[in-house]
Amino acid sequence: DAGVTQSPTHLIKTRGQQVTLRCSPKSGHDTVSWYQQALGQGPQFIFQYYEEEERQRGNFPDRFSGHQFPNYSSELNVNALLLGDSALYLCASTGKGLGNTIYFGEGSWLTVV
Amino acid sequence: QQQVKQSPQSLIVQKGGISIINCAYENTAFDYFPWYQQFPGKGPALLIAIRPDVSEKKEGRFTISFNKSAKQFSLHIMDSQPGDSATYFCAASILDYGQNFVFGPGTRLSVLP
């Protein structure tokens, strides 16, 4: 049973560019959330998707957007990249009956130069 | 009010010793308090979680103590092992609000053999 899978694992982008990160939730899970983890800090909630809609959003600018597909997979898009966007981006998933138990992927390391 | 404070920032314990990590929160609406363990290059993994209707929860060598009046909770790792060396994050959320977790800044634990 595959866990939460994310791609790519590492990438380097130039300031001002756009990036798309992808996530496949754990089998049977229908809810996906995204977190940003800066080096040496705890994860920060970006947003959550359920039934292909953004249900909740953290304190992140509109440059951060997302999408959930009918198969429950999700994308995180970041436009006009800033140096401060360099971080580990974590995807987490959960499903019915799991309450607030979420399962994280290994993340995508984004470096903005 | 959304902040979760965590201490110490780093902790060194001898094998077989007890590791204690403390967290404090302000928002009294929080009703779910998990602890996550993160190894380098991996996503956070749920260790143990507690609801505020109980004062203590134990799972194997891991125990959460919860003090609702003080708005504090702590993780105790009994008989600490070198394999426990990782970064530990406390978190808090409101169950009805989904996966919008507020994480502490993390504690880097090193268990010496």
Side-chain angles (χ1 to χ4, degrees), chain A residues 37 40-43, chain B residues 6 8-10 21 35-45 47 75 77 83-90 104-110:
Chain A
Q37 186 176 20
Q41 297 183 22
Chain B
Q6 182 172 349
Q9 188 174 19
S10 63
I21 304 171
W35 283 89
Y36 283 84
Q37 178 189 57
Q38 186 175 31
F39 293 104
K42 301 291 186 181
L47 262 182
L75 176 69
I77 306 175
D84 297 330
S85 298
T87 300
Y88 292 80
F89 295 96
C90 60
T107 296
R108 178 174 284 187
L109 171 66
S110 297

Side-chain angles (χ1 to χ4, degrees), chain A residues 31-33 35 37 40-45 48 56-58 88 90 94 98-107 109, chain B residues 9 31-32 34 36 38 41-46 87 89 93-106 108:
Chain A
T31 303
V32 171
S33 52
Y35 285 79
Q37 186 176 20
Q41 297 183 22
Q44 278 196 290
F45 176 77
Q48 174 193 330
Q56 284 197 58
R57 188 179 185 91
L88 176 67
L90 294 162
T94 190
L98 292 175
N100 265 28
T101 301
I102 63 174
Y103 297 84
F104 283 94
E106 296 193 350
W109 278 104
Chain B
Q9 188 174 19
D31 58 4
Y32 180 72
Y36 283 84
Q38 186 175 31
K42 301 291 186 181
L46 178 66
T87 300
F89 295 96
S93 73
I94 302 170
L95 279 172
D96 287 344
Y97 286 12
Q99 287 79 48
N100 183 352
F101 288 87
V102 178
F103 282 81
R108 178 174 284 187

